[in-house]
């Protein structure tokens, strides 16, 4: 969005300093003019901010046009790759496992601390434990291009929040695996999404959309009831709770795209991985 020029420059520098750097790099400007980018970096300027998933789709389309991209890494503009072997680790992981569709990076702050919400599983006490997971982190991940070709693009209508889970559930239903790899690190400033009322609204609306789009009918009321309870237990501020309630209603009133429920076999597989699609 043009408001983190120093952080973006640092991220791009950490990419060029990789032992085996990515073959192509695309930066999407969301409603902003992009200042001078390093040589070899493509810039795409959008007239308005279309949201995170739509911006990723723009970059994905640009990479598809080249026809030579096997894996796409998605990185937040205020992130940093402190390990020079990151890109090579990603390459090696996908080359070693043909069924691996998505890698979720570990996100940690400058002190190496990983927030619990950045571990994409319920048992999040040990962020250094690798595991198969049922979702991934949007700020730092790698997706095999074949996954995008098979299950489709990011859900642009989500704008922000839970678009990763939407992609993850589609990928799992198509038979792909998702790995959380704590040894592949994205350094990112410690923040709280709850600092924005937009977070509460999008969080509620997009959870309803997830359920409506992808869950078998029997699980829709269970999933949403659980998240209503979780939200109440977390006791958000009144303004946040009001925004959450508005988003929840919006999720039912507005169209959410095509409904394609995941198979019960996928539900069972997610349950075996420790996160049934009810929470």
């Amino acid at each position: 969005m043009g408001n983190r020029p120093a952080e973006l420059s640092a991220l791009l520098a950490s990419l060029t300093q990789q032992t085996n750097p990515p073959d192509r790099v695309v930066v999407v400007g969301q409603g902003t003019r992009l200042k001078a980018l390093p040589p070899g970096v493509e810039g795409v300027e959008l007239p308005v901010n279309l949201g995170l998933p739509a911006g990723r789709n723009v970059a994905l389309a640009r990479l598809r046009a080249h026809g030579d991209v096997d894996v796409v890494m998605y990185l937040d503009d205020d992130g940093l790759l402190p390990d020079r072997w990151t890109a090579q680790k990603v390459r090696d992981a996908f080359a070693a496992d043909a069924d691996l569709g998505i890698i979720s990076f570990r996100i940690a702050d400058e002190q190496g601390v990983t927030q619990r919400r950045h571990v994409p599983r319920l048992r999040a006490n040990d962020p250094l434990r690798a595991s198969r997971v049922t979702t991934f982190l949007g700020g730092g991940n790698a997706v095999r291009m074949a996954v995008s070709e098979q299950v489709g693009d990011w859900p642009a209508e989500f704008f922000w929040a839970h678009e990763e889970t939407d992609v993850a559930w589609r990928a799992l239903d198509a038979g792909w695996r998702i790995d959380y790899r704590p040894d592949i690190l994205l350094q990112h400033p410690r923040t709280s999404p709850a600092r924005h009322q937009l977070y509460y609204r999008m969080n509620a609306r997009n959870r309803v959309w997830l359920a409506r789009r992808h869950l078998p009918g029997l699980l829709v009321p269970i999933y949403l009831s659980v998240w209503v309870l979780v939200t109440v237990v977390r006791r958000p501020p009144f303004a946040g709770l009001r925004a959450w309630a508005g988003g929840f209603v919006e999720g039912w009133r507005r169209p959410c795209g095509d409904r394609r429920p995941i198979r019960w076999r996928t539900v069972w597989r997610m349950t075996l991985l420790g996160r049934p699609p009810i929470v």
Side-chain angles (χ1 to χ4, degrees):
M1 294 172 59
N3 56 353
R4 297 167 178 163
E7 292 88 342
L8 176 60
S9 294
L11 171 62
L12 294 176
S14 73
L15 283 170
T16 59
Q17 293 165 5
Q18 290 290 299
T19 301
N20 192 355
D23 295 323
R24 301 188 181 278
V25 179
V26 177
V27 176
V28 178
Q30 293 269 32
T32 185
R33 297 296 303 270
L34 294 173
K35 297 182 179 179
L37 297 172
V41 176
E42 295 185 61
V44 182
E45 295 178 351
L46 303 179
V48 295
N49 182 1
L50 299 179
L52 284 173
R56 292 171 187 154
N57 286 339
V58 169
L60 185 60
R62 182 61 61 93
L63 292 170
R64 277 198 188 107
H66 290 291
D68 59 357
V69 177
D70 302 306
V71 173
V72 182
M73 289 199 305
Y74 297 93
L75 305 170
D76 273 2
D77 61 351
D78 55 347
L80 190 70
L81 300 180
D83 180 3
R84 297 182 63 178
W85 291 93
T86 298
Q88 187 59 48
K89 288 178 181 178
V90 169
R91 284 187 172 93
D92 292 343
F94 283 107
D97 186 351
D99 293 327
L100 177 61
I102 302 172
I103 296 175
S104 186
F105 300 176
R106 180 168 70 94
I107 294 180
D109 61 20
E110 296 84 346
Q111 287 72 46
V113 177
T114 296
Q115 295 177 261
R116 186 181 181 89
R117 68 185 181 90
H118 283 153
V119 182
R121 58 173 181 254
L122 293 180
R123 297 179 180 178
N125 292 331
D126 183 6
L128 297 180
R129 177 172 66 85
S131 64
R132 300 279 188 196
V133 290
T134 63
T135 189
F136 61 100
L137 305 173
N141 64 78
V143 181
R144 195 187 291 269
M145 184 65 85
V147 172
S148 299
E149 298 298 339
Q150 182 176 2
V151 307
D153 290 353
W154 298 79
E157 58 269 38
F158 277 44
F159 192 83
W160 174 54
H162 305 310
E163 69 273 6
E164 306 91 350
T165 302
D166 185 274
V167 173
W169 286 4
R170 283 184 274 146
L172 289 169
D173 201 48
W176 296 98
R177 293 205 292 262
I178 306 172
D179 276 0
Y180 169 65
R181 287 283 300 267
D183 61 315
I184 301 179
L185 176 66
L186 179 80
Q187 183 177 301
H188 189 280
R190 186 181 182 89
T191 59
S192 170
R195 67 189 186 279
H196 304 302
Q197 285 194 29
L198 180 67
Y199 159 79
Y200 292 104
R201 173 181 157 230
M202 295 297 183
N203 187 46
R205 184 196 70 180
N206 292 354
R207 282 205 187 279
V208 175
W209 281 357
L210 273 176
R212 291 176 59 195
R213 285 163 64 99
H214 299 303
L215 289 184
L218 180 64
L219 296 184
V220 171
I222 300 175
Y223 177 82
L224 295 178
S225 295
V226 167
W227 277 107
V228 168
L229 179 61
V230 168
T231 301
V232 172
V233 169
R234 287 176 174 173
R235 300 178 65 184
F238 177 75
L241 187 60
R242 183 172 56 187
W244 191 95
F248 191 87
V249 172
E250 183 182 355
W252 287 106
R253 288 181 173 175
R254 290 186 55 185
C256 62
D258 294 338
R259 173 167 166 76
R260 297 178 181 175
I262 59 176
R263 295 167 294 178
W264 283 104
R265 181 171 64 184
T266 304
V267 172
W268 178 240
R269 180 182 172 200
M270 295 169 71
T271 302
L272 293 178
L273 288 172
R275 189 157 193 169
I278 59 173
V279 65

